[in-house]
Amino acid sequence: MSFARFQKRQKKGEFFPAFNFISVTDDCNLNCQGCWVMGKEKNSRLKPEQVDRIIDDTKKMGSYFFGILGGEPLLYKPLPQIFKKHSDCYFQLFTNGTLITPEVAETLRQCANVTPLISFEGDEQVADVRRGGKDVFQSANTGIDNCVKAGLITGVAISVCKSNLEMAMSPQFIQALIDKGVAYLWYYIYRPVGHQPNYELALSSDEIRQLRQHMVDARMKYSIAIIDTYWDADGKGMCPAAEGLSHHINASGYVEPCPIIQFATDHVDEKSLDRLYAESGFLGDFRTQIQQKTKGCVVMEDPRWLAEFVQKHNAKNTSGRKGELERLQLATEANSHGSCEVIPEKSRIYRFAKKRAFFGLGAYG
C-alpha cells in the first residue's frame, strides 16, 4: 500500500510523499468564496503527457492513489483517457458536481477506478453565495444522484464555515446523504485564501472544537464514513504537507507544499519526481520547520512567517496572481485546527483505517 511504502521510506531516511495531488486545470464554471484558483491573470492546464509522467513517476515509487483537482477537473477533456490509461491506479476526483450528467457518470463508471468527491457547500440559499453560481445546490444534488445511480463510490465534501456550520452538523443533512446512497462524507475547514478570502467566514476556535467533537461522535452514530483531514488517528492536529503525506502539483506544473501555499522552487519538467522530492530544499525545509512551529495551518495562523519563509527560499509566486507575497504579509490571522484541544477518536475502526489504510482520503492539505 502507498502509505506502508511511505513509512518504509521514512525509516530509511528517504522521502517521497504517500500521495500526489494534481490540479489538471485552472478552468472552472464557478467562482467560490475563498478559492485559491480564481483571479489568475491567465489560466493554465497541464499537458496530458505531463500528467502521464507525474503518474508514472509516482507509480515507480509504489504509490497508486491520486487526488485530481482543478479548477473544475471535469473541464479537462483528456481526463477519462488518463483514468483508463492508468487502470492500475485509483483516483479521487474533486468536483463541484454541476457537470456530472448521466453520461459523464457512466464514463466514470466505465473507467472503474474513480471516486467522485462532490463539494456540497450549503443549502439553496447559502450554496449560490458560497459558490458564485446559480442553482448550485440543485445541480450538485443532481450530480450526486447521477453518480450513485451509475454505481460509483460517491463522496460528498463540505468546507465548513460560519454560513454552513449548522447545516454541516445537522442530522437532517447527514441522513439525506445516507438516503441518497453517498458512501462517505468528508469535512474540512474553510481556509480564507485567494483573491476573495472572506475572513468573516472562518470558524472560531470554539466552532472548530464543536466540529471536531461532532465528527468523532458522528463516526459512531451514522452508517456513512465520516472523514476529516486535519487530525491524526489519535485526534491530534496535523498538517498533511508538513507530515510529508501529500504535496500538490498545480496546473502550471509547479510542486507546492499544498494547494493553498502557492509558492514553489520546483517544476515537474525539470527532473523526475523522485529526484525533485529528494533534492528540494524548499519542500524539505517546509516539512521540518512547520513540524517545529505548529500542528495547524500556518497560512491561517501565521501568514507573515510563511511570507518570510518563501522569501528566504526565493520561491516563485505560483498563484497566477500578482501580489501574492504582499497578500500573505497583510493577511488576517485566523483560527485553525492547531489550537483545538485533543479529542480522541472513539471509533477503533476509524483509528486503524486512518493509521494504516486510507490515509489518502485524509491527506489533502
Side-chain angles (χ1 to χ4, degrees):
M1 293 179 60
S2 300
F3 187 56
R5 294 186 180 99
F6 166 76
Q7 289 178 313
K8 288 181 180 178
R9 286 193 294 270
Q10 278 190 319
K11 291 179 180 178
K12 295 178 181 178
E14 301 170 354
F15 176 75
F16 193 94
F19 312 100
N20 271 314
F21 287 81
I22 310 168
S23 286
V24 292
T25 181
D26 291 329
D27 297 333
C28 191
N29 59 326
L30 298 179
N31 185 15
C32 300
Q33 294 171 322
C35 178
W36 59 79
V37 176
M38 303 306 295
K40 293 176 179 281
E41 293 182 297
K42 182 181 179 181
N43 284 356
S44 297
R45 297 166 204 84
L46 286 172
K47 298 175 183 178
E49 53 267 31
Q50 288 176 307
V51 181
D52 281 336
R53 191 170 69 251
I54 291 166
I55 295 173
D56 285 336
D57 282 357
T58 305
K59 288 195 291 187
K60 289 177 183 177
M61 299 302 293
S63 182
Y64 293 82
F65 176 89
F66 299 86
I68 303 297
L69 295 74
E72 171 48 55
L74 287 175
L75 290 172
Y76 187 72
K77 299 305 181 185
L79 201 54
Q81 288 70 41
I82 291 170
F83 291 155
K84 292 175 181 178
K85 181 176 181 178
H86 298 280
S87 58
D88 54 345
C89 296
Y90 198 70
F91 299 92
Q92 189 175 35
L93 180 67
F94 293 73
T95 171
N96 60 45
T98 61
L99 302 178
I100 303 181
T101 62
E103 293 75 21
V104 169
E106 176 59 21
T107 296
L108 295 177
R109 185 197 68 80
Q110 291 176 6
C111 293
N113 59 350
V114 183
T115 173
L117 179 62
I118 298 172
S119 298
F120 208 86
E121 300 304 312
D123 56 20
E124 292 93 335
Q125 289 73 41
V126 173
D128 284 2
V129 176
R130 283 278 289 109
R131 308 311 299 268
K134 186 176 181 181
D135 297 326
V136 177
F137 176 80
Q138 187 55 51
S139 295
N141 264 306
T142 300
I144 293 169
D145 291 338
N146 290 336
C147 288
V148 173
K149 289 176 183 177
L152 292 164
I153 297 174
T154 304
V156 165
I158 182 165
S159 176
V160 185
C161 62
K162 286 188 181 296
S163 64
N164 64 19
L165 175 63
E166 183 177 351
M167 185 200 80
M169 297 191 299
S170 70
Q172 294 82 4
F173 169 66
I174 300 174
Q175 189 59 50
L177 297 180
I178 295 172
D179 293 343
K180 280 179 173 292
V182 172
Y184 61 100
L185 171 58
W186 185 0
Y187 290 98
Y188 56 103
I189 297 170
Y190 176 82
R191 294 160 294 179
V193 296
H195 76 304
Q196 293 180 335
N198 295 89
Y199 293 104
E200 69 278 5
L201 292 176
L203 298 177
S204 68
S205 57
D206 184 61
E207 288 168 334
I208 293 172
R209 183 198 60 75
Q210 290 178 49
L211 178 63
R212 168 64 184 164
Q213 186 67 63
H214 161 75
M215 292 187 296
V216 169
D217 294 341
R219 276 191 267 273
M220 303 294 291
K221 183 177 180 182
Y222 297 102
S223 57
I224 185 173
I226 304 291
I227 297 170
D228 65 74
T229 301
Y230 304 110
W231 289 273
D232 67 14
D234 298 317
K236 298 176 182 177
M238 71 167 191
C239 167
E243 296 285 347
L245 290 167
S246 64
H247 286 314
H248 175 246
I249 301 168
N250 76 5
S252 299
Y254 287 100
V255 185
E256 304 163 338
C258 76
I260 65 170
I261 298 179
Q262 297 182 302
F263 294 88
T265 60
D266 308 280
H267 193 279
V268 295
D269 288 343
E270 297 172 348
K271 60 187 75 172
S272 63
L273 276 184
D274 59 335
R275 282 188 55 207
L276 187 154
Y277 283 127
E279 298 172 5
S280 176
F282 175 66
L283 294 173
D285 284 353
F286 179 85
R287 292 189 300 271
T288 300
Q289 294 186 34
I290 294 298
Q291 289 277 27
Q292 298 170 354
K293 184 174 180 56
T294 179
K295 293 297 184 181
C297 176
V298 70
V299 179
M300 300 172 73
E301 293 182 3
D302 199 344
R304 277 163 288 285
W305 178 90
L306 181 59
E308 293 175 0
F309 177 81
V310 299
Q311 283 180 296
K312 288 178 182 177
H313 282 271
N314 197 28
K316 178 183 176 64
N317 172 11
T318 54
S319 69
R321 299 179 295 269
K322 291 182 178 179
E324 190 69 4
L325 178 62
E326 289 77 12
R327 185 197 69 77
L328 269 183
Q329 292 169 331
L330 298 173
T332 301
E333 293 181 4
N335 294 292
S336 89
H337 60 287
S339 59
C340 183
E341 64 187 84
V342 175
I343 301 176
E345 289 291 343
K346 296 179 180 178
S347 170
R348 293 183 180 180
I349 294 175
Y350 185 78
R351 285 204 308 270
F352 177 83
K354 195 159 193 180
K355 187 175 291 186
R356 294 294 179 186
F358 65 68
F359 226 120
L361 294 177
Y364 170 52

